[in-house]
Amino acid sequence: MTTAPFGSNGRSIELHLSRRGLLGALAALPVLTVAAPAAASARSFSGPGYRGVAAGFVSVAENRADTVTVPEGYGWQRLIAWGDPLFDSAAPAVPAARGAPFPQTRAEQEQRFGSYNDMLVLFPQPYTYPWPEGPEPARALMCVNHEAVSPFLCAPDATQLTERSARWTGTADQMEALYAAMGVSVVQLACAPEGGDWSVVKDAAPGTGLNRRITPFTEAVFSGPAASHPWIAAAGAVFNHEEAARSGPVRAAGAIKCGTMQNCAGGYTPWGTYLTAEENFRNQFFTSDPQSAVLRDGHAADPALPADREMFRYGGGWPFGGPAQYDLSGNPQGPSLYGWIVEIDPYDPGFTPRKHTALGRKQNECATTVIARDGRIAVYMGDDNAGEFVYRFVSKGRFNPLDRTANRTLLDEGTLQVARFDEDGSGAWLDLTLETVTAAPPIAGMAPFTSQGDVVVRCREAARRLGATHMDRPEDVQAPAGGDFMGRGSIYVVCTVNTAEAYKAGNAANPRRTDAAGQPELNRTGHILRIDEDHGDHTSPTFRWGLFVVGGDPAAERVEHSLRDGTVINASSWVDGRPVNSGDRFGAPDNICFDRAGYAWISTDGTSDVFDCNDGVYVAPLGTSDGPRPVKRFLTGPVGSEICGPFVAPGNRSFFCGIQHPGSSGLEGRSYRGGPGSPFSTFPDGGWPRDAVIVVRRTDGGPVGT
Ligand code: FEO
Ligand code: CA
Ligand code: CA
């Protein structure tokens, strides 16, 4: 247990770390080995603190089944699905015909589990620091992200216009229900003793316990350098004006009724708060009048707005309108309220969700928190778009295990940095400050930056100007750390795929296979990098990097493979003439977590785009013996789903994950989109498909994966 007042002054930090943190961290520091100095992108790692042997289960075979498949000796349970009530006051969800059983009003959805469950975390109940590492907890608080919503599932008369858009004319309340399906769920869980099932513990009604929904209509406050940015002020006024008629005046000082949405991955802090990452927020904005004077004048008045076209594009992905505050025609700066890392306190419903602008505005995928040696907090983030970047934030203040309230302001102030990966296997974190960005060579067409608030709001542009390395859609960026959250210096960066022609050439950290003519191919199967911070220090300005695993087929250096459209690719997972990993083939890694036995658990979102297999979960040792890293397929999801939110519970006996959008796509081009008759997937209850969280355990109650 921690006894020293960690963070209250430099001396106590030193004492604390020298006793239980620093020596342990130093002992566990992985050793970088350069297996092939001439082939910089094919280095591999080994570490004396990690096991290098393959996981112990027998791999699941490739399949296209409409169910969850786990290894022999394992079983799974459905824990909760979209529409399930969080309160006794809401009626049970009864899956039946298309659309009908699902919440059709905003008020209904605000009492129910949201859609498209992505990241999930189990918080100890009650909170302690360090977090317990076992045994299996009897009670926990689960936070779950709800990334998106599909009108095809909840609107009975939605029909398909194109592959990605729908026609639907719902009532205003039904449209608001779609928005309210996104955000975050906080759910109390109980685990029956001696390996019994996990279950949801409902509260009587909203406000009577810790279960709650945070939606795009919940109040949020902004902290950090952009808290008073003129775009946020202007957009916030529109949001609060539109919501006043619907839900009354704002209650928390300075709050904006924009809540959070498009919540993909995220993180959790040593002080017991949840960090949710807002990713594809632009999808929810629309334009009822592209020629509106407000929109035209807004862009004319602020030259930076059109330069950030990807974040402010005219006409979002939502083709049938929505609440007025999301109409760019009347609120051109509306998107500036999203793209942030948002802190939520699951133990304290009175804490207004806090948007930390110091961490930068982008299509955030995650926010992984570790405690650095000096007690400062490092937060790692990926920006999931082709050619976007990997970020680190280092707090100004230090963690204090005795003051949870004070820790909730640690992310208000610090230094935001972006990664540059050099060809020789080294790298650097570049400070994103007004001074450094202004001093960097200007880019034609990019508006000047006028404040630090401007730098964090237009984070992507600032990173480009600094010369950061373009990546293959960096999704999860995670660091193995125990219940004390002390980082050991290693970070894993999951690059899912990159099919953008603009980045076809790749770079050292984003290697390319070549076609028969020796030309680079698009990265269709993804890869995972490992970063080792220099000296194991999560505040170090420099690092080393190498490949951890590469998606694809490890069978040979050239594996010619036909995609569904007839394109022939080299699907090999070899790089520079060497197999980086062995075992089961996979594609499009998305999320990664770590168990306490030294294994990485990797979930995929797009394996079925390349191979004839549903998305799944793959397990690989963090260390290596001689030879390529052995990867094994632990789980496959139902057809059309991707797997999200892998999480190994303390005690290593329960593996949680999210089954997202079952039936959304699949064999022979069929999907639930617009098709009458029987649904393509009936997961999990035999009716129309629903997103769900599941738990996997060994039938003998032993540790999973080993
Ligand atoms: Fe929401 Fe980038 O996956
Ligand atoms: Ca993701
Ligand atoms: Ca995903």
Side-chain angles (χ1 to χ4, degrees), residues 118 147 264-265 279 365 384 475-476 590-591 605 642 644:
D118 203 290
E147 182 177 23
C264 192
E279 191 190 15
E365 176 73 23
D384 179 11
E475 299 228 44
D476 245 350
D590 187 337
N591 302 116
D605 173 15
E642 66 171 276
C644 304

Side-chain angles (χ1 to χ4, degrees), residues 115-116 146-151 164 168 174-183 215-217 239 258 260-263 278-288 310-311 313-329 331 334-335 338-339 363:
S115 64
Y116 274 61
H146 300 296
E147 182 177 23
V149 65
S150 170
R164 303 191 68 83
W168 182 55
Q174 286 174 323
M175 285 190 201
E176 288 186 4
L178 294 183
Y179 283 73
M182 294 179 288
T215 74
F217 305 113
F239 268 66
C258 62
T260 187
M261 65 175 184
Q262 299 277 165
N263 308 82
E278 298 174 335
E279 191 190 15
N280 296 301
F281 56 91
R282 66 184 188 206
N283 286 349
Q284 306 308 325
F285 286 87
F286 59 94
T287 310
S288 62
E310 269 301 291
M311 306 286 257
R313 63 184 183 154
Y314 293 75
W318 210 233
F320 34 74
Q325 59 267 40
Y326 293 93
D327 186 348
L328 293 170
S329 311
N331 192 8
Y338 299 99
Q363 285 184 242

Side-chain angles (χ1 to χ4, degrees), residues 98-189:
R98 181 180 183 178
F102 299 109
Q104 293 293 303
T105 68
R106 169 173 155 181
E108 268 285 290
Q109 183 59 81
E110 286 171 343
Q111 295 195 51
R112 295 174 182 276
F113 195 68
S115 64
Y116 274 61
N117 39 242
D118 203 290
M119 180 194 178
L120 65 88
V121 175
L122 264 59
F123 289 81
Q125 203 175 25
Y127 167 79
T128 59
Y129 179 83
W131 289 30
E133 301 211 50
E136 193 97 315
R139 294 291 294 261
L141 261 179
M142 180 173 71
C143 287
V144 185
N145 277 351
H146 300 296
E147 182 177 23
V149 65
S150 170
F152 305 105
L153 285 180
C154 62
D157 51 352
T159 55
Q160 186 168 11
L161 284 179
T162 68
E163 173 62 24
R164 303 191 68 83
S165 71
R167 183 200 305 279
W168 182 55
T169 50
T171 65
D173 200 39
Q174 286 174 323
M175 285 190 201
E176 288 186 4
L178 294 183
Y179 283 73
M182 294 179 288
V184 172
S185 288
V186 181
V187 188
Q188 298 163 98
L189 299 183

